[in-house]
Amino acid sequence: MEGFKHEKIHTMVMDMTKDDDVQTVVQKVLADEGKIDIVVNNAGTFAFGPIGEVMMEQVRNAFELNTFAAVHVSNAVIPSMVKRQEGLIVNIGSIAGLITSPWNTLYCAAKAALHSITEGLSMELKPFGIDVMLVAPGGVKSNISKNQASTFKLFPNSMYKEYEEQVIEQMNMAAHKNSMPTDEFARQVVEKALCGALPPYMSLGWSARKVAWLQWLPRQYVLGLVYKTMVWKKEKDTT
């Protein structure tokens, strides 16, 4: 958060996976400012690794930060928004929540759950004048993959050890040369969020259009295409 230097920006420490932390920060902001107009649930983390070898602790961690944290924060703020009959909640999902990919299945599942929660929340809060917006980014330049790819290792006895390079390659896809610059992504999201006709859903960034198109095709075909791209290529190379 060091780059956010402005007299009107005040940073606070909050562990989004802990209810006490969330309540403390929300109540502090309400006490100081009197209201919360917009909440953006942007925290998230990758959860790479074969789902067949994942530990339950990894499953819980993936959902705690990518899914449950958004519910923690939203539910802490909603009562104050209901009183005012206005407010906006923006949840940052991912195109990974639209089409599952191997090696990143946990992250895909957690984001897919967040998508469903956001859509349901949007319908449930509409009677109270509260808007809910889902953003499903494609590739956007950030350090999320860089930070994890540098330390990622499969278990020494993993049955997927020969696929390790492919797993790391997929982790680095978010840093693709065609990924959208972070400031441009932020500008477009803010522009849409503050416009008069708020869209309930928007997707942007590298591969976002391709994923949108793939959703119109038969699911079996799409998953087969993903398999050939991310798994079968390795099998072919080693045959």
Side-chain angles (χ1 to χ4, degrees):
M1 301 296 289
E2 292 178 359
F4 291 87
K5 300 292 186 182
H6 191 281
E7 61 180 10
K8 292 186 177 181
I9 295 178
H10 306 283
T11 58
M12 299 179 69
V13 177
M14 179 176 71
D15 185 337
M16 294 179 63
T17 66
K18 295 181 179 178
D19 281 326
D20 289 346
D21 258 29
V22 172
Q23 289 293 340
T24 297
V25 170
V26 169
Q27 294 307 315
K28 169 66 174 172
V29 175
L30 288 173
D32 291 349
E33 305 298 332
K35 63 177 181 175
I36 294 177
D37 294 298
I38 302 173
V39 171
V40 180
N41 288 308
N42 186 50
T45 182
F46 279 152
F48 270 91
I51 194 68
E53 297 182 342
V54 72
M55 295 183 294
M56 287 310 299
E57 182 182 1
Q58 292 174 285
V59 177
R60 294 187 184 96
N61 288 341
F63 277 85
E64 279 288 352
L65 189 55
N66 291 302
T67 311
F68 304 155
V71 179
H72 283 314
V73 176
S74 298
N75 285 2
V77 175
I78 285 171
S80 65
M81 289 183 171
V82 169
K83 286 182 180 179
R84 296 172 46 236
Q85 296 285 292
E86 63 178 339
L88 170 62
I89 296 172
V90 181
N91 286 340
I92 309 296
S94 170
I95 59 171
L98 304 173
I99 296 178
T100 306
S101 59
W103 324 125
N104 195 24
T105 304
L106 261 185
Y107 180 77
C108 295
K111 287 298 186 181
L114 179 62
H115 289 191
S116 292
I117 288 170
T118 306
E119 290 169 352
L121 194 63
S122 175
M123 292 183 281
E124 294 172 1
L125 292 181
K126 192 177 291 292
F128 302 103
I130 302 170
D131 292 316
V132 180
M133 179 179 170
L134 173 62
V135 180
V140 177
K141 295 184 186 300
S142 74
N143 292 323
I144 188 171
S145 58
K146 176 183 174 183
N147 292 340
Q148 297 196 24
S150 61
T151 59
F152 177 81
K153 290 286 184 183
L154 289 174
F155 296 126
N157 60 344
S158 171
M159 58 186 171
Y160 296 102
K161 198 65 179 175
E162 63 181 294
Y163 292 86
E164 190 167 62
E165 287 186 11
Q166 269 186 283
V167 178
I168 295 174
E169 182 181 331
Q170 188 184 344
M171 291 177 73
N172 288 317
M173 284 178 67
H176 192 275
K177 63 179 182 179
N178 293 327
S179 290
M180 178 177 282
T182 312
D183 57 348
E184 176 62 17
F185 169 77
R187 186 191 65 77
Q188 290 195 38
V189 173
V190 170
E191 185 178 88
K192 291 292 185 182
L194 299 181
C195 75
L198 178 78
Y201 171 85
M202 69 178 297
S203 186
L204 67 167
W206 177 63
S207 284
R209 287 185 178 179
K210 181 170 73 174
V211 168
W213 177 76
L214 286 173
Q215 288 191 88
W216 289 93
L217 300 178
R219 195 69 173 182
Q220 185 176 357
Y221 171 80
V222 173
L223 294 179
L225 187 63
V226 173
Y227 173 80
K228 284 185 177 181
T229 303
M230 299 183 180
V231 180
W232 183 74
K233 179 178 179 295
K234 175 64 179 178
E235 292 179 345
K236 184 178 178 182
D237 291 344
T238 56
T239 305

